[in-house]
Amino acid sequence: PYGAHDENSERVLSKISFLGSLTTIEGIRAFSDLSDLKLIPRLNVTNDLKGTKLIEKIKNLESK
């Protein structure tokens, strides 16, 4: 929960056949294929982040 993870949690998830995991690390990840779905970053989108501000946030993260 809440994106807390470490090497042990990732190892346990792999052992019980989870194919992926998410984090609360802000970011965008481009996938060329679905072979690695682990430690996927996310966007924190709140109710006050609408329209052009969301697009601006995505563009800023893409440029990093």
Side-chain angles (χ1 to χ4, degrees):
Y2 307 107
H5 66 279
D6 60 17
E7 289 178 24
N8 290 327
S9 62
E10 289 301 310
R11 191 171 29 258
V12 168
L13 290 174
S14 290
K15 197 174 235 183
I16 60 175
S17 300
F18 269 69
L19 299 177
S21 61
L22 302 171
T23 71
T24 55
I25 296 168
E26 183 123 316
I28 296 174
R29 182 163 161 195
F31 293 94
S32 56
D33 60 54
L34 299 177
S35 65
D36 184 12
L37 298 173
K38 298 200 164 77
L39 302 173
I40 299 170
R42 296 190 273 179
L43 291 175
N44 184 22
V45 178
T46 58
N47 288 334
D48 60 333
L49 187 63
K50 297 186 189 320
T52 56
K53 291 289 185 188
L54 176 58
I55 293 168
E56 184 178 309
K57 182 176 188 171
I58 293 168
K59 286 180 179 178
N60 286 337
L61 288 168
E62 285 179 330
S63 65
K64 290 183 179 181

